[in-house]
Amino acid sequence: MNERLGAVAATRHCLDLAALAALPAEPAALARGLKKAREQADGVLADRFAAGTDIRELVHARAWVLEQLVLSAWRHLIDVDIELDLCAVGGFGRGELHPHSDMDLLILYSQTGERPDQNLCRSLETLVQVLWDADLHPGHSVRTVSECVEEASADVGVATNLMETRLLAGNGRLLAAMRSATQAPALWPAAEFFAAKCSEQEQRHAQFEDTIYNLEPNIKEGPGGLRDLQMIGWVTRRHFRTATLHGLVERGFLSEHEHDDLVANRDFLWSLRWALHELAGRAEERLLFEHQRGLAARFGFDGDGNEAVEQFMQRYYRSAMQVARLNERLLQSFDEELLAGRQHLPSAEIDEHFRVCHGYLELKDPHAFVEHPALLMRMFLVLADHPDIRGVRAATIRLVREHLYLIDDRFREDPTILGMFLDLLKSPRLVYSQLARMNRYGVLGALLPAFGQITGRMQFDLFHVYTVDQHTMFVIRNLRRFVYAKYPERFEHAIAVMQNIERPEVLYLAALFHDIAKGRGGDHSELGANDARAFVDRLELAEEDRALVVWLVREHLLMSRTSQREDISDPVVINRFAERVRSQRHLDHLLVLTTADIAATSPKLWNSWKDSLMWELYLATSDALAREPEERLDRQASVNETRREALALLAAHGMAAERAEGLWTALPERAFLRLDADQLAWATAAVGRAQTLPLVACRHLPDKGISELFVHAEDFAGLFAVVARELDRMQLNVLAARVVTSDDGKSWDIFQVMDTNNEPLHSSDAERLGTMLTEQLATKTVRRLPSRPVPRRLQPFMGCAEIRIQARGELTSVEIAATDRPGLLSGMAEALVVQGVQLLDARVATFGQRVEDVFLVADAEGRPLDEQACRELEAELRSRLDVSS
């Protein structure tokens, strides 16, 4: 209240109250006058925000401004002989409004007949219309006291709103009657209200996947947002008759330090919301990508590339995390204080320091952490050893956080404590649960200071959905799922390999450190490996296991990069990969860790396609590792093997070897490296059946979750562009393309695709695609694809593509990396056509929203491009691919 009065006094010059009183009563003129006054006041408040005025003063000041405008309209328009109370509700009732916040009104009236007075109805309709015309966007309801009681009894949300009702005009008698009739215990007794609000919060959090770490978080409704703070206030007000957060200090629920943290985080979220409303020009509550850079600059973050926005978002996530933690602990405290619903749960002694109190772990002596700091680690071992314990009592959680200062260098070097940590990783159960709990309580970041640095650290892209610490926790969760063989339909191969791993704690350690150096600059894999070595050297681990942890951290990207960016049908690639892996044990651990890592990066990133690529690489590498280096397959041996396997597949379907060999006569040797035996057999069978060209065939591969498109036609300069255009037009995702041209000028091109839902093509789509391509390839027509707008979420990530053009043997290599978007592949293909460049081979690869494509090209005479041609090709590509920010 004092803050609000101070804000009112400091902001009176925003409005000329005498001018408001002198406004004409004619509705249109009144609306114009109110709108002008509101715009002037908003301008003053915006200037004050830019000048650094306390955000508490601003949110209260804006509520006061709107209050004066509403009262001005009320006094000009409402003149009826009926008792009325005009009330502010919600944020307006609390006196807390941002530039585009809702302004909710409740008009209480005393009804004397069966229907509301018609004069009253007309007056209120005029009032609401004037407020809308003045751009005040009111939400309003007109009710009797009995109607309020009826609606509040049926909906806890209504009951909550009515708690925050504040009188603006009237004698207040109706408001007092409404409050008396809707307060506890008349409505929503303690147990029911608290349970309903907790259920409401759970449902709200579920809409945001129950995590604060969304890429575009909602700062009002999301976990750790302003609504979580309001939840604390609602419970406090209803049950403890305390209108301020400081009342929780007086009742022992918060310490002064925790109260100050809570207020500081609220003020930061208020400032952020104010800036977001101003930047968006509307009541936007989401930190959308297009606003994040502007907000980072507004809050004083700077740096090269994405550094500023990533630092800004880390500041937000850490604030939201603190709010979420305090919300969780306070609600648990309220639960223990209010409901006493745990009396049926067991209580028992654990040891001299811990006991179970109605199902929750409790530290017996509040001074025990000071006397025995190791208990800060032992607590999590106790929880892992007693899976029937439901959680930790709120008072003990508070003690943990208050004693984090005890986790110093001596604590981190203590062999007993490190032994406990290793024992936790070796535990047969609840490893992820307790590590996640350690992270929530701040213990993990204190034990591993480098991990504390990545808490709340995001990466400004569409590839990494979670912050680094949350991603790391999800990697460990996936590893535990593999141990328990959960989700075999998604992780069949990782689960199978995991069962052969004797000491999974090696994987958990590697997971903890694999991204721990993100954001430091330099190679995070190498820096993380150094951190891992320093830590594992203090653990009671065999040197072989220590070395494996360090190697896994250093090489944790190796398998995903090799499987998705290189031609794993090439034995040279396999042999080079095998040399880096060195042993079957290394390979087993790397497969499992890589699978867990990819699946924890984004819910949609792991799919059957990536699984099949990794498993193919795993099997080929296992075979190579089982051979002596001199016995491993070379390219010629691989070509021969592919031919043999393809002939066997064709023979099983009735095609003679002589017939197949005849069809392959004009195929270059690289075709037998670029296509696997199954693809070669399928394509050959289709060519053998074809009566005329062009030939377009499509098949569904259920084990890979993709469709394959085979194009066999007379080659011409725009063939690839025609196919790319049609794939783009149908909005298909191209995962890979293997382009092969025979010596007699025929294409043997295979495209691996998914639809927009990352599913194989429906039969009707495949048929339509085949028909359209056949017609266009027959006429050799290259039509430019009309440009399509870049989707909103992609726009902040546009910019300059990475293009590298260089000689590769007798050809020229064109390497392109860019953000994926509609029409990208066809734009690349069209640039090649415009420049008169021959496409001889292509590797198209997509990683989330990033594409990395490689084209092998030559000039019209089949020679490498000269310097001038390279410059012109790059300019043409940039004219189509680069998007100015």
Side-chain angles (χ1 to χ4, degrees), residues 487-503:
Y487 308 112
E489 68 282 0
R490 294 191 68 204
F491 303 116
E492 174 189 0
H493 299 128
I495 288 171
V497 175
M498 187 70 165
Q499 308 315 304
N500 297 323
I501 289 178
E502 296 179 357
R503 294 185 289 280

Side-chain angles (χ1 to χ4, degrees), residues 131 163 165 174 274 299 326 335 435 536 539 549 616 627 636 669 747 808 819 849:
L131 295 178
M163 286 166 48
T165 306
L174 295 174
W274 188 286
F299 282 83
L326 279 171
D335 184 25
L435 286 174
V536 297
L539 301 178
V549 171
E616 182 181 343
R627 303 169 185 258
Q636 188 56 54
E669 186 174 89
S747 68
R808 181 182 291 185
T819 300
Q849 290 296 333

Side-chain angles (χ1 to χ4, degrees), residues 520-657:
R520 290 192 213 166
D523 184 343
H524 81 277
S525 299
E526 190 64 40
L527 295 172
N530 295 338
D531 287 354
R533 170 53 77 178
F535 184 73
V536 297
D537 279 350
R538 303 200 298 268
L539 301 178
E540 287 293 328
L541 281 176
E543 175 53 32
E544 178 187 6
D545 291 343
R546 294 177 185 173
L548 180 52
V549 171
V550 175
W551 182 85
L552 286 168
V553 175
R554 181 177 290 114
E555 301 287 8
H556 72 273
L557 297 174
L558 175 62
M559 195 166 199
S560 62
R561 285 176 171 171
T562 302
S563 65
Q564 298 178 66
R565 302 183 183 187
E566 298 195 49
D567 183 0
I568 58 176
S569 63
D570 188 341
V572 172
V573 172
I574 298 299
N575 293 336
R576 184 169 61 240
F577 178 75
E579 288 173 3
R580 290 185 66 174
V581 171
R582 300 198 297 256
S583 73
Q584 186 66 42
R585 186 178 186 226
H586 281 62
L587 179 63
D588 289 347
H589 282 72
L590 187 58
L591 172 79
V592 173
L593 179 62
T594 305
T595 302
D597 188 14
I598 295 175
T601 300
S602 165
K604 299 178 181 179
L605 196 58
W606 181 255
N607 53 35
S608 299
W609 161 244
K610 290 184 174 63
D611 187 26
S612 67
L613 287 177
M614 294 237 311
W615 190 240
E616 182 181 343
L617 176 58
Y618 175 87
L619 293 177
T621 307
S622 292
D623 179 73
L625 291 170
R627 303 169 185 258
E628 294 297 327
E630 63 273 9
E631 296 176 352
R632 292 174 183 171
L633 293 178
D634 58 16
R635 281 179 171 161
Q636 188 56 54
S638 179
V639 167
N640 295 338
E641 185 172 300
T642 299
R643 294 177 75 110
R644 282 196 304 270
E645 291 179 1
L647 289 173
L649 291 171
L650 288 167
H653 290 84
M655 179 177 283

Side-chain angles (χ1 to χ4, degrees), residues 162 229 248 319 369 640 828 842:
L162 294 180
L229 282 168
L248 295 174
S319 179
F369 284 144
N640 295 338
M828 296 178 189

Side-chain angles (χ1 to χ4, degrees), residues 51 64 92 141-143 172 175 298 310 406 498 579 804:
W64 178 83
F92 195 21
S141 58
V142 182
R143 296 182 183 137
L175 176 58
R298 182 78 63 93
E310 290 177 0
L406 295 171
M498 187 70 165
E579 288 173 3
R804 186 168 66 169

